[in-house]
Amino acid sequence: MNKRRWLLWAIALLLVSGIGYWIGRPPAYSVSLGNRALQVADNQASAVTNYQVSFNLITPGTLGSVEVQFCSNDPLLTSPCTLPTGLDLSQAVISQQSGPGDFSIDPSSTATDVLLTRTPSAVAPQAVSVEFNNVTNPDTPGAYYVRLRTFAAADGTGPEVDYGGIAFYISNQLSISAEVPPYLTFCTGLTITGLNCANAQGNFIDFGELGASRTGKGTSQMLVATNAAGGYNVTVTGATLSSGTNSIANLAANDVSRPGTPQFGFNLRSNTTPPQGADPTGPGVGQPTPNYNQPNSYRFADGDVIITNSVPDTVRLYTASYIANIPPTQAAGIYVSTLTYICLADF
């Protein structure tokens, strides 16, 4: 049985006139259960099959029950649950289990919400796995979600101790299991104060009138945070500034700002020529890639990875500093570029 890992991703669009951008902010959420997965023996719609739910308990203490709730909308505990049509665990039986090893299915369980119960007792953090036989898959191919909550009480009452989410997919072609990354936060803005995406402001940067003797400049910011085990990468895609069939050459190789020469590019550092920008800030440790990590040296190439980090990271704020230079012969027009920033967490 194949097991695939799914990546949480976020995209922010940057529209440039002179230069400007659109902001995209994905929702984010956090979890506490570790290494969560759902393996489906046969992932065809409406198939009667086996489900294996596995997760790592994080908090030591009394464990009396685990709620395994299936939803078709999302894995977030704060959202109302939309019941998957066709899914039926009412005839499910536990075929094998590991971990505490003494779970049974509580009679209060429903076709889409199973309560695993046991005599409450103290357990240490450990891996838990429970396999159910005789489960009927949802009747429609697509993405579905599992919401997990652990309780000290045997009947699933009281505050949850550990919680988390799992995503899985029902199709007519292959078996899939998926593990939901804990969280990814990514946003853009002219300014993002307080290292908080809720404070992202502004949606347009204008270079003003470009001339052969002056450099057009402007800045925007992006904020990233994730606890994905493999960290994250930020990629930029798009084209250079253009007006109809006329364009300003992008800096495919790093160069300093040269007024009077066609140039379009940016970096992610504090600069003196022209004076603008800021070095990365915040408690995180992510860094720009070498081509975008040189003060007063600019570049833009479609598809470049501009930020990389190989470990989980707390919030990190990056400031992009853009330049545009033109020769005296540059054709008149309103020059616009659309850039897309993609942040991908590697879990």
Side-chain angles (χ1 to χ4, degrees):
M1 173 165 42
N2 294 327
K3 180 178 179 181
R4 298 188 178 179
R5 296 175 176 266
W6 291 72
L7 303 177
L8 180 64
W9 55 275
I11 297 178
L13 295 179
L14 185 74
L15 174 64
V16 185
S17 174
I19 248 185
Y21 65 91
W22 300 98
I23 300 174
R25 285 190 294 238
Y29 59 92
S30 63
V31 296
S32 61
L33 286 169
N35 296 326
R36 304 169 312 282
L38 173 68
Q39 293 181 333
V40 181
D42 181 350
N43 75 318
Q44 294 189 33
S46 300
V48 178
T49 185
N50 300 343
Y51 282 12
Q52 182 179 353
V53 179
S54 58
F55 55 89
N56 282 0
L57 293 171
I58 300 299
T59 306
T62 300
L63 176 66
S65 56
V66 178
E67 182 184 18
V68 185
Q69 183 182 36
F70 291 79
C71 304
S72 62
N73 51 325
D74 62 52
L76 304 179
L77 296 176
T78 55
S79 300
C81 177
T82 302
L83 302 183
T85 61
L87 178 68
D88 188 1
L89 286 93
S90 63
Q91 305 302 313
V93 294
I94 296 175
S95 58
Q96 59 182 338
Q97 57 181 299
S98 61
D102 55 355
F103 285 112
S104 61
I105 297 176
D106 190 86
S108 66
S109 300
T110 68
T112 60
D113 195 336
V114 176
L115 183 66
L116 299 174
T117 184
R118 65 189 295 270
T119 301
S121 64
V123 296
Q126 61 187 283
V128 178
S129 177
V130 180
E131 183 170 343
F132 302 96
N133 286 355
N134 203 30
V135 178
T136 302
N137 281 338
D139 57 16
T140 304
Y144 295 89
Y145 307 91
V146 180
R147 303 178 184 185
L148 298 172
R149 295 194 295 172
T150 68
F151 300 89
D155 60 357
T157 60
E160 67 267 8
V161 180
D162 289 339
Y163 59 100
I166 302 171
F168 69 103
Y169 198 85
I170 296 299
S171 74
N172 289 320
Q173 284 123 2
L174 53 113
S175 297
I176 292 178
S177 65
E179 189 170 296
V180 178
Y183 75 86
L184 170 67
T185 298
F186 179 60
C187 61
T188 64
L190 289 183
T191 60
I192 306 172
T193 58
L195 299 178
N196 187 342
C197 279
N199 297 328
Q201 297 291 327
N203 64 358
F204 186 77
I205 303 171
D206 189 352
F207 282 160
E209 293 185 2
L210 300 178
S213 62
R214 63 176 291 273
T215 297
K217 64 179 184 177
T219 62
S220 69
Q221 294 185 318
M222 63 190 79
L223 185 143
V224 190
T226 185
N227 56 359
Y232 61 89
N233 294 299
V234 178
T235 302
V236 63
T237 63
T240 189
L241 289 163
S242 62
S243 176
T245 59
N246 301 310
S247 63
I248 301 171
N250 63 293
L251 286 167
N254 284 77
D255 199 359
V256 297
S257 177
R258 303 179 188 276
T261 301
Q263 294 179 311
F264 172 59
F266 70 96
N267 66 26
L268 296 165
R269 295 294 303 275
S270 176
N271 304 282
T272 57
T273 309
Q276 65 170 346
D279 292 336
T281 60
V285 297
Q287 290 294 326
T289 53
N291 285 330
Y292 295 87
N293 201 20
Q294 305 174 43
N296 302 317
S297 178
Y298 301 89
R299 173 185 169 92
F300 167 63
D302 179 31
D304 270 357
V305 177
I306 63 170
I307 302 169
T308 187
N309 185 25
S310 61
V311 297
D313 207 11
T314 55
V315 287
R316 192 72 161 162
L317 182 68
Y318 302 89
T319 299
S321 299
Y322 308 89
I323 64 162
N325 287 311
I326 60 171
T329 56
Q330 187 71 42
I334 298 176
Y335 287 76
V336 177
S337 174
T338 299
L339 303 182
T340 301
Y341 289 109
I342 302 172
C343 182
L344 184 67
D346 184 4
F347 198 60

